[in-house]
Amino acid sequence: MPLPKFEYLSPKSLEEALQLLADRGEGTHLLAGGTDLLVKMAHGHLKPRAVIALKQIDALGGIRFDPGKGLFIGATALLDEVASHPDVKAHFPSVAYAAQQTANVQIRNMGTLAGNLCNAAPSADNAPVLTAMGAEAVIAGPKGERRVALDRFFKGPGQTVIEPGEILTAVHVPVIPSGFGTSYQHVSPRGKVDIAAVCVGAMVGMDGATCKEARIVLGAVAPVPMRAEKTEALVRGKALTPEILEKAGRQASEEARPISDMRAGAEYRKRMTAVLTGRALKQAAEAAAN
Amino acid sequence: MVLLHIIVNGRGYDLQVGADPHQVDPAHTLAYTLRETLGLTGTKIGCNHGGCGACTVLMDGVPVLSCLTLTVECDGREIVTIEGLSPPEGNDLDPLQRAFMDHGAFQCGFCTPGIILTAKHLLDRNPSPDAETVEEALSGNHCRCISHYQVVQAVLAAAGTEADRDED
Amino acid sequence: MEPFQMIGKDVPRNDARAKATGTAAYADDLKLPGMLHGRILRSPLAHARILHIDTSRAEALTGVRCVITGQDIPQVKYGNWRLFPDTQDEYALAVDKVRFIGDEVAAVAAVDKDTAQEALELIDVEYEELPGLFDVESAMAGDAVPIHDHCRNNTSVNRKIAYGDVEKGFAESDYVREDTFRVHAVSHAYLEPCSALAQLDLDGRITLWTSTQVPYIVQCLLASTLEMRENDVRVIKPYVGGGFGGKMELRTWEFCAAFMAKRTGRPVKFTLNREEEFLAGRRRHPMTIHSKVGFKKDGALVAKDLKITLDGGAYNAMGPTATFLCGNFGAMLYRYPNYAFYGRHVYTNKPPASAMRGFGAPQSLYASEIQMNMAAEALGIDPVDIRLKNAQKSGDKIPDVATISSCGFTESIQEVARMSDWKKKRASLGPGRGIGIGCYSFISGGVFNWFNTQYPFSAAEVRAFSDGTVHLLTMASDIGQGSDTALKQILAEELGLRMEDIRITSADTAMTPQADLGSWGSRVTLMAGNAVVDAARKIKERLFGALSARYNLNVIYEMECREGRVQPKGRPDRGMSFGEAVAMVQKASRGEPLVARGSYTPRDKGLVTPAFGFGAQVAEVEVDRQTGLVEVKKMWTAHDCGTVINPKGVEGQLAGSIQMGLGYALSEQFVMEEGRTLNTNFLDYKMPTALDMPPGEVVHVETYEPEGPMGAKECGEGLASPTAPAISDAVYHATGYRCKDLPITPEKILEGMNAGGKKKS
Ligand SMILES: Cc1cc2nc3c(=O)[nH]c(=O)nc-3n(C[C@H](O)[C@H](O)[C@H](O)COP(=O)(O)OP(=O)(O)OC[C@H]3O[C@@H](n4cnc5c(N)ncnc54)[C@H](O)[C@@H]3O)c2cc1C
Ligand code: FES
Ligand code: FES
């Protein structure tokens, strides 16, 4: 279908963008790569009055790595840039991997990591591992900048803490402490390239064979990517033996609150939560050891 | 009057933004502008929602979906469509086009422009890919007719690395 | 037999350059001055009476040129089964009722697409909703509302086949089993959405460019629905982006484009969007298949009783053919001495199912192939051996259908078993790994004349020129399968010419000879190929006459066209160039050009098909026993399509079939809720991608089909059948889960394994 008509705005600076956002008010949408926004418009689900493109704002671009402060992924950094960035690959392999696993070549050349988060699909590939790693959204608004950890960022399908008038400017990923490892696991029952039916991100801190710390985030099994806190508690202080991993999996699947939809049934999602949680913990523990 | 400057297949176009028939409306996708305004119908629309890859073009050398790209976002960009890969007459086809012809790497051909352009970028980045790399690169381009066997062979052939796949 | 010059060669496709350079023009690429853009208003309800339609607001919108509803058009019903007017159940736009979500209610033509789209929203339709019938059981229930008034029980077609005595057969069997299978609907998902452009000429005649597999059928039905004479309608098929059975009927937008072009005097184009294609598009028939089979202890088949109910959706479309063919295919592949079939085609309030690659065979053969494996297991016989024991052979007679002529089925089974190392793998693959087999047979075009054409089934005209070139004209439709290339190859072979010596004009009903039934049922190579051979032979007769006169040849000489020359066999010195021979013929008839017409209509070939293709496929899979994910590691195929005319073309057909079979087995399905198709985009309708395609290995089993041109027969559709049963059987081998209701999903596999699917050690 043809796209509905709208006013197109392309500010050059963040200030200008915030101003336009305030001026145009309701019905104004931000455009990053457009791979979610334009699809919704093409299907007639969304008819914005105005669209503010972010790409011309230099300050929102790029990926910066600082060994002390961690990683800053700008709001217009493409999924492909994240997936292929040498520093991301070296220091945040699961972040690169999740970006690499998102969609296909063309979409990764167009879509942004920030857009993936702001779109707030429960299945968003990049949300679980970033959330598990304690990443935070840097949000600019009329009242200045605020930072929100990703585990408090998502409010529901398509909803985040970003208020009207605000713009996410970057995603900040803290440095992975030594002794910690991460993993991203996902399953798509209908083929190798597909939106995930279940996805799991994990970060664990190991002390020898013992798990000191664990953060486990489940995707596509609840309205928002969710922390599996009871599972985290279950593994904390334990050796990650096959039995514990299996228990953890079972616990995670109890915490999951999936629905049945086109991609998978709720029962299958629960089972996969168990399988992927086990796999994620195992892989993260291995990564921690290296 | 807002002007857009877009280079398509090496030729610069200055397009006016506006709602008149000859102008580019902000709601126009690049696919629409290429096909309807510039008459470059080699770019195909299989879905208009990002799902099939038929509308793939190269933007600054990188494959993107022209059905999910607003034309107004292309100011200053360089676009290459299938028509721009080689002049339609004459014999100087791109090696990929040649390989697709030699390998019969299409039936209906509707997916072909998008596939060739995606493959072009792959070979630019990685001149000697293996079959799996080619498959991965083409996973955003649907083909219902021959689904990639001969396509993968053709891409490998164009890269000069036609591998064991031939015998498979 | 003499070796071929052109047949069996990988000559480049006729359209290769056009397609590789993006210059091939498909219907939506065409533009005419003053052209209007059309859009269709579709029903939001599955079943409702139309009480009132108010188009005034739409008509008042600036830029709108024409709005029509069912009340504005000639109320002529149409359908492909013209031989039985009762089966013709569609109006181009709904007249009294809407019968599925997406049914066409009104159409708008406007100066641009946006305006047309906007106008749709201004059409007010008042409906009285009726109960929706969404499955065959409720549609057939005694108190069900009829979906079509003329069809009280909602069963629009019945078909029975019976021979031998099944009851006696079961009584004599050592082993009898009964199973019910359910197979689902899938989409053709051709990449090019349907599109049609109509133009009115100054004499009031219509030209329609449309993305179709059947220009002749569209011409005839368009003429009748427009109440015009057939010859006043010209249908041209531009490049077509795939069809697979989904573009083989007259469709609403074709009618509306033509009707509105007449009304407005301006060209009108309709192009569907993908959402419409998925929401309302044709699809493969879902079927409920109840099958009872009896065997002797040694695995010999004794009897089969097959009952199939087809969920036809709201209109017949090509359902009657599918009903016939699924019954015929139930008795194919193996020798069933006693056979009974009862098929019913049932209306439901869903988008109409129609022809789709395999035309009833993929469904029917899924059930027979799986059931064969279940029986083999119970009888303690290897699946390959039980097939070899019962395989049909050349000369076998299928009562009321045909006598099988060429048949490489046994060789195909042996070949796949050998290639795949079947015996060893079946015995020793590790846990989570499995290997399975599926087989097929398919028709090379249909014989039964349901369209009631008054012309030959296929025709060709060859014009020969003194410059050594020829022009081939045929109504056969190349929709991507490469028939233009194959027909040129056949002609080149017959006349001893090169591909570049032949110009081809195809699929234009005003310019190419009457007629050709279109591209479906794997008919084109055999039927249009035979028509080309027929025309070529007539040309040769004339050329040979001229040669004979020129050299005063003894009448006993055999002559040939070869490498651009016409000559007595073995006496090239007494020959002349093709062009010289043409010039002589032309001189001898005082300038009259050398033209010949050829045709083909099957005669004395029963009611089904002149020739059958056969084949077998083996799949090897690996199943992740935790996630239930299936990875197809490899497919081996051996098939008999008679003489291979263009190897790359055949391989392409095969690859495409595997992709569709893979999707049918594992990932593709329509998600429906109360008659509404929920997955209307490529993200949710999941086709296999390049990464999902398994490596494959193929052997062409050589046979020579006496009825086919140069010995060729079908290869385009049969292979749509074996992939799903082969994968399904491999999944069973790997996990113990036996799928009786497609598709095979990881969820079903895990459940099946839980429910005590036997663990393979
Ligand atoms: C064919 C296809 C396949 C896909 N496959 C996947 C997949 O496998 N996995 C997956 O997770 N996703 C997938 N997606 C979804 C989509 O591509 C991703 O979510 C992508 O990362 C979105 O990024 P974008 O830049 O295109 O977002 P946009 O569409 O530009 O924006 C998305 C939303 O976020 C808002 N937004 C964007 N930037 C900001 C900002 N800086 N501040 C505040 N709000 C903002 C927009 O207003 C919009 O609502 C797929 C999409 C398509 C079309
Ligand atoms: S047309 Fe753009 S992806 Fe299908
Ligand atoms: S060749 Fe037809 S879709 Fe690829």
Side-chain angles (χ1 to χ4, degrees):
Chain A
M1 264 196 284
L3 295 178
K5 306 278 174 196
F6 54 85
E7 183 189 9
Y8 172 80
L9 302 157
S10 182
K12 297 273 184 295
S13 70
L14 184 60
E15 296 65 40
E16 195 190 336
L18 289 169
Q19 191 58 50
L20 286 169
L21 207 45
D23 291 349
R24 293 305 190 279
E26 214 179 310
T28 306
H29 290 260
L30 298 173
L31 174 70
T35 61
D36 280 314
L37 191 75
L38 295 189
V39 171
K40 285 181 194 161
M41 288 166 62
H43 289 157
H45 301 323
L46 191 70
K47 293 189 171 143
R49 279 199 314 159
V51 166
I52 300 179
L54 301 175
K55 278 191 209 135
Q56 300 292 324
I57 305 173
D58 288 340
L60 296 185
I63 295 171
R64 273 184 299 123
F65 173 63
D66 176 326
K69 297 198 188 119
L71 182 70
F72 286 86
I73 301 170
T76 58
L78 301 176
L79 289 163
D80 184 63
E81 296 175 64
V82 176
S84 56
H85 195 283
D87 287 327
V88 183
K89 278 161 87 172
H91 305 293
F92 304 88
S94 302
V95 175
Y97 175 74
Q100 174 64 36
Q101 290 298 301
T102 310
N104 53 47
V105 171
Q106 289 94 322
I107 298 289
R108 291 196 294 274
N109 284 327
M110 304 169 72
T112 61
L113 182 136
N116 190 240
L117 300 179
C118 293
N119 188 57
S123 60
D125 269 311
N126 298 279
V129 80
L130 285 171
T131 308
M133 293 167 76
E136 52 188 14
V138 185
I139 301 169
K143 287 181 249 141
E145 186 180 286
R146 62 187 180 119
R147 294 183 175 218
V148 180
L150 288 186
D151 62 0
R152 287 180 290 115
F153 177 78
F154 301 103
K155 287 283 163 206
Q159 284 164 344
T160 67
V161 297
I162 300 176
E163 299 282 338
E166 290 185 323
I167 296 174
L168 180 145
T169 55
V171 177
H172 169 228
V173 195
V175 174
I176 303 175
S178 78
F180 279 68
T182 61
S183 169
Y184 177 59
Q185 300 286 331
H186 64 125
V187 60
S188 316
R190 307 175 308 166
K192 288 190 182 154
V193 186
D194 191 16
I195 310 269
V198 176
C199 46
V200 175
M203 178 159 96
V204 298
M206 301 296 291
D207 187 355
T210 310
C211 170
K212 304 180 298 201
E213 184 53 54
R215 287 166 61 98
I216 301 164
V217 178
L218 315 176
V221 295
V224 296
M226 61 172 277
R227 288 273 296 273
E229 284 172 3
K230 288 189 184 145
T231 314
E232 292 171 359
L234 188 150
V235 294
R236 217 169 279 136
K238 306 237 170 56
L240 294 183
T241 59
E243 296 71 46
I244 289 292
L245 292 179
E246 195 175 327
K247 263 195 192 161
R250 238 177 292 134
Q251 176 59 44
S253 92
E254 265 168 44
E255 286 180 73
R257 289 169 285 129
I259 54 162
S260 292
D261 66 12
M262 279 182 251
R263 283 186 195 98
E267 204 32 57
Y268 181 75
R269 287 197 153 107
K270 275 189 168 277
R271 284 183 80 151
M272 288 312 102
T273 305
V275 173
L276 297 190
T277 301
R279 289 182 184 178
L281 287 170
K282 183 156 181 279
Q283 195 189 45
E286 283 163 10
N290 290 326
Chain B
M1 176 61 51
V2 186
L3 273 187
L4 288 177
H5 184 74
I6 306 180
I7 298 162
V8 182
N9 299 335
R11 178 173 158 195
Y13 293 87
D14 289 311
L15 302 172
Q16 293 175 2
V17 178
D20 284 346
H22 64 281
Q23 295 177 324
V24 173
D25 188 282
H28 285 174
T29 61
L30 179 59
Y32 180 91
T33 302
L34 290 170
R35 290 177 53 81
E36 305 296 330
T37 311
L38 304 183
L40 295 169
T41 53
T43 300
K44 299 297 175 212
I45 295 183
C47 69
N48 231 354
H49 58 230
C52 74
C55 65
T56 302
V57 299
L58 298 178
M59 184 186 284
D60 297 337
V62 170
V64 297
L65 301 175
S66 61
C67 75
L68 288 186
T69 302
L70 297 178
T71 307
V72 287
E73 295 246 275
C74 300
D75 192 22
R77 302 301 199 104
E78 191 170 341
I79 311 293
V80 174
T81 70
I82 190 72
E83 290 95 339
L85 213 50
S86 71
E89 297 309 322
N91 287 318
D92 41 354
L93 294 178
D94 188 273
L96 271 166
Q97 291 172 309
R98 232 329 100 245
F100 271 62
M101 292 171 63
D102 292 344
H103 283 75
F106 38 74
Q107 280 179 17
C108 81
F110 202 76
C111 63
T112 308
I115 290 185
I116 289 183
L117 291 166
T118 309
K120 176 83 186 157
H121 167 254
L122 169 72
L123 297 189
D124 286 348
R125 259 199 184 185
N126 179 357
S128 46
D130 58 14
E132 188 164 343
T133 309
V134 177
E135 287 166 9
E136 151 72 29
L138 295 180
S139 65
N141 291 84
H142 277 315
C143 172
R144 191 57 152 175
C145 297
I146 59 167
S147 228
H148 299 110
Y149 283 148
Q150 284 144 324
V151 172
V152 173
Q153 283 174 25
V155 176
L156 293 174
T161 58
E162 193 158 12
D164 48 358
R165 189 85 191 193
D166 233 341
E167 268 323 294
D168 270 7
Chain C
M1 217 178 52
E2 284 181 50
F4 292 121
Q5 304 292 312
M6 292 305 299
I7 299 298
K9 303 269 181 317
D10 270 326
V11 301
R13 294 175 58 106
N14 192 50
D15 50 10
R17 199 180 184 91
K19 287 177 176 174
T21 55
T23 46
Y26 301 76
D28 188 49
D29 300 337
L30 305 175
K31 255 187 228 170
L32 290 171
M35 183 172 85
L36 302 176
H37 297 263
R39 295 284 301 143
I40 293 166
L41 181 70
R42 296 176 177 280
S43 169
L45 301 176
H47 198 188
R49 221 169 279 292
I50 298 175
L51 299 180
H52 182 69
I53 307 182
D54 181 356
T55 57
S56 55
R57 289 199 303 143
E59 276 159 51
L61 184 71
T62 313
V64 171
R65 291 288 184 275
C66 184
V67 184
I68 57 171
T69 72
Q71 298 307 321
D72 300 307
I73 63 174
Q75 295 192 353
V76 180
K77 284 188 180 173
Y78 62 92
N80 276 6
W81 271 53
R82 226 169 36 161
L83 186 63
F84 298 101
D86 278 0
T87 64
Q88 297 188 294
D89 55 6
E90 262 181 285
Y91 292 113
L93 292 169
V95 167
D96 46 349
K97 275 171 83 171
V98 288
R99 297 182 173 86
F100 69 96
I101 292 174
D103 207 351
E104 291 97 355
V105 175
V108 175
V111 293
D112 57 43
K113 248 190 179 180
D114 287 359
T115 310
Q117 182 67 32
E118 205 182 327
L120 290 188
E121 285 151 36
L122 300 175
I123 300 175
D124 302 305
V125 189
E126 208 181 312
Y127 294 104
E128 176 196 323
E129 197 164 353
L130 299 168
L133 301 167
F134 302 122
D135 54 62
V136 290
E137 289 76 21
S138 41
M140 289 191 298
D143 57 347
V145 202
I147 293 174
H148 294 265
D149 291 342
H150 69 269
C151 185
R152 307 310 303 180
N153 57 2
N154 287 321
T155 303
S156 65
V157 180
N158 284 291
R159 162 80 167 157
K160 281 191 177 146
I161 304 173
Y163 51 81
D165 180 341
V166 282
E167 284 318 315
K168 191 156 152 275
F170 289 131
E172 288 167 1
S173 298
D174 298 319
Y175 172 73
V176 176
R177 68 172 302 133
E178 272 187 83
D179 299 282
T180 302
F181 299 87
R182 285 172 199 279
V183 292
H184 64 305
V186 287
S187 173
H188 306 90
Y190 36 73
L191 258 263
E192 181 212 11
C194 289
S195 177
L197 165 62
Q199 185 184 34
L200 183 75
D201 74 18
L202 294 176
D203 300 327
R205 295 196 178 90
I206 284 290
T207 303
L208 182 79
W209 292 262
T210 181
S211 177
T212 188
Q213 306 175 226
V214 288
Y216 166 67
I217 288 179
V218 171
Q219 177 202 10
C220 297
L221 296 179
L222 190 55
S224 62
T225 48
L226 290 170
E227 297 182 322
M228 289 172 72
R229 296 176 300 182
E230 254 172 41
N231 192 29
D232 290 337
V233 174
R234 173 182 183 184
V235 175
I236 301 173
K237 176 208 69 69
Y239 283 106
V240 170
F244 313 112
K247 297 175 179 172
M248 71 165 290
E249 301 157 57
L250 172 70
R251 303 301 297 278
T252 293
W253 45 93
E254 294 170 323
F255 171 87
C256 289
F259 184 82
M260 293 167 115
K262 280 182 81 174
R263 272 241 167 144
T264 60
R266 292 172 64 168
V268 180
K269 180 160 84 181
F270 281 75
T271 300
L272 300 199
N273 58 42
R274 183 58 60 180
E275 290 75 8
E276 287 178 285
E277 286 280 7
F278 278 130
L279 180 82
R282 302 296 203 228
R283 42 199 71 195
R284 180 177 282 160
H285 282 91
M287 297 187 191
T288 307
I289 302 168
H290 187 82
S291 179
K292 182 176 174 185
V293 278
F295 292 82
K296 287 289 192 194
K297 267 204 293 290
D298 64 357
L301 270 165
V302 187
K304 177 164 172 174
D305 185 6
L306 183 65
K307 294 191 176 65
I308 300 187
T309 316
L310 292 86
D311 183 345
Y315 298 97
N316 274 327
M318 286 305 293
T321 312
T323 313
F324 276 50
L325 287 182
C326 67
N328 289 326
F329 286 112
M332 283 303 297
L333 283 181
Y334 310 110
R335 282 181 245 130
Y336 296 95
N338 306 288
Y339 180 67
F341 167 72
Y342 179 43
R344 283 173 298 177
H345 182 267
V346 179
Y347 286 133
T348 54
N349 292 116
K350 292 193 294 199
S354 192
M356 179 173 163
R357 203 177 205 163
F359 235 147
Q363 298 99 318
S364 194
L365 289 179
Y366 183 76
S368 351
E369 286 295 280
I370 298 297
Q371 202 174 27
M372 185 64 91
N373 294 339
M374 296 167 96
E377 184 171 26
L379 291 165
I381 305 175
D382 183 275
V384 163
D385 296 333
I386 201 168
R387 284 175 168 77
L388 287 171
K389 181 162 192 71
N390 292 294
Q392 283 174 331
K393 296 201 163 55
S394 177
D396 279 2
K397 206 169 160 47
I398 315 160
D400 297 332
V401 173
T403 301
I404 294 175
S405 47
S406 62
C407 176
F409 186 35
T410 297
E411 295 80 349
S412 297
I413 302 173
Q414 289 164 337
E415 275 298 317
V416 274
R418 180 191 59 76
M419 281 194 281
S420 62
D421 205 359
W422 171 269
K423 289 262 147 121
K424 185 157 152 249
K425 286 193 169 145
R426 190 77 181 182
S428 66
L429 279 179
R433 286 238 172 186
I435 186 166
I437 185 167
C439 301
Y440 79 91
S441 156
F442 201 67
I443 57 175
S444 312
V447 176
F448 185 55
N449 185 9
W450 37 260
F451 191 62
N452 198 20
T453 180
Q454 306 299 310
Y455 293 112
F457 278 20
S458 282
E461 183 173 310
V462 175
R463 304 177 184 166
F465 299 92
S466 58
D467 61 3
T469 66
V470 298
H471 186 179
L472 169 63
L473 297 100
T474 164
M475 219 183 273
S477 299
D478 194 332
I479 56 169
Q481 84 276 38
S483 60
D484 280 355
T485 308
L487 295 178
K488 276 178 68 171
Q489 266 179 284
I490 290 170
L491 185 60
E493 179 70 43
E494 200 59 43
L495 295 182
L497 298 175
R498 298 167 303 174
M499 292 299 272
E500 57 268 36
D501 299 330
I502 303 174
R503 163 200 282 262
I504 181 166
T505 300
S506 59
D508 174 340
T509 63
M511 303 307 254
T512 55
Q514 269 57 36
D516 187 283
L517 288 172
S519 286
W520 49 267
S522 298
R523 57 180 298 287
V524 179
T525 299
L526 187 139
M527 297 201 183
N530 277 336
V532 169
V533 169
D534 186 29
R537 295 209 170 136
K538 289 176 184 165
I539 295 278
K540 286 203 305 199
E541 270 315 301
R542 305 277 303 276
L543 298 176
F544 294 166
L547 184 71
S548 197
R550 164 74 179 75
Y551 289 108
N552 191 21
L553 297 174
N554 188 318
V555 292
I556 64 164
Y557 266 118
E558 212 25 69
M559 282 169 268
E560 64 182 357
C561 288
R562 200 186 165 88
E563 288 164 24
R565 297 187 60 79
V566 186
Q567 60 199 30
K569 277 196 183 160
R571 294 295 305 272
D573 55 312
R574 296 260 174 127
M576 58 177 97
S577 75
F578 185 88
E580 282 166 343
V582 173
M584 285 192 69
V585 172
Q586 204 174 326
K587 275 278 179 233
S589 46
R590 306 196 64 186
E592 196 58 40
L594 174 54
V595 176
R597 297 242 353 221
S599 69
Y600 177 80
T601 304
R603 309 240 184 253
D604 198 21
K605 286 281 158 196
L607 277 183
V608 178
T609 187
F612 291 96
F614 290 91
Q617 204 164 49
V618 167
E620 183 176 334
V621 304
E622 182 167 351
V623 182
D624 180 326
R625 296 163 71 92
Q626 285 189 311
T627 60
L629 292 191
V630 177
E631 175 161 21
V632 182
K633 306 298 277 187
K634 185 141 185 181
M635 302 287 313
W636 294 268
T637 308
H639 73 130
D640 156 29
C641 65
T643 303
V644 173
I645 293 188
N646 187 314
K648 284 251 167 5
V650 169
E651 280 157 29
Q653 287 293 331
L654 228 139
S657 299
I658 289 178
Q659 194 250 22
M660 271 194 196
L662 199 65
Y664 190 44
L666 297 175
S667 66
E668 293 178 36
Q669 62 178 320
F670 282 109
V671 184
M672 307 284 297
E673 193 178 280
E674 302 276 282
R676 173 178 298 280
T677 305
L678 299 179
N679 50 339
T680 60
N681 60 58
F682 276 124
L683 242 56
D684 295 325
Y685 185 88
K686 205 58 208 165
M687 293 207 300
T689 67
L691 267 180
D692 299 309
M693 288 294 286
E697 210 175 302
V698 188
V699 164
H700 309 299
V701 171
E702 292 276 327
T703 66
Y704 188 92
E705 170 54 48
E707 185 71 6
M710 280 90 191
K713 49 185 181 179
E714 80 88 23
C715 81
E717 286 182 87
L719 279 157
S721 294
T723 308
I727 291 173
S728 179
D729 188 37
V731 167
Y732 173 72
H733 188 223
T735 66
Y737 163 64
R738 180 66 86 188
C739 177
K740 289 164 88 174
D741 58 330
L742 283 176
I744 305 164
T745 62
E747 303 169 83
K748 291 183 193 166
I749 292 176
L750 293 180
E751 248 166 60
M753 283 168 50
N754 264 10
K758 89 178 158 46
K759 283 244 167 62
K760 212 186 62 171
S761 47

